Amino acid sequence: MATGADRIPFGEVLEAVDRLTPEEQEDLVAILQRRVVEQGRKRLAEDVREARQEFTGSGCRPVTPDELMGEILA
């Protein structure tokens, strides 16, 4: 992931993309789509890991739907 010091302004990226051939642009889109999907998978895996830790660490307890709604509305 890029840090503030090594980031390229978005407008410059768009200008650079305009200089690519249509085939290169299609390849870039495919690569970016795969990267976005992979980042989403990593976020989901981290959320699942955290939820499992919370559950096994007694941070969670089973509740009925009525109890859950009571907590939400409280």
Side-chain angles (χ1 to χ4, degrees):
M1 182 87 55
T3 64
D6 60 357
R7 291 187 59 159
I8 301 170
F10 189 73
E12 287 183 28
V13 172
L14 292 177
E15 289 173 13
V17 169
D18 284 340
R19 294 191 295 268
L20 297 174
T21 66
E23 293 80 17
E24 290 171 326
Q25 290 180 11
E26 289 175 10
D27 290 344
L28 177 61
V29 167
I31 291 166
L32 291 174
Q33 286 175 330
R34 284 192 300 270
R35 288 182 178 187
V36 167
V37 167
E38 183 59 30
Q39 289 172 358
R41 286 183 185 132
K42 287 179 182 179
R43 281 192 303 271
L44 179 59
E46 178 63 20
D47 289 347
V48 168
R49 185 190 64 74
E50 289 176 7
R52 285 181 176 160
Q53 281 182 336
E54 187 176 313
F55 184 77
T56 59
S58 299
C60 294
R61 64 176 178 79
V63 296
T64 66
D66 290 335
E67 290 172 323
L68 181 59
M69 289 307 297
E71 288 181 28
I72 291 172
L73 299 174

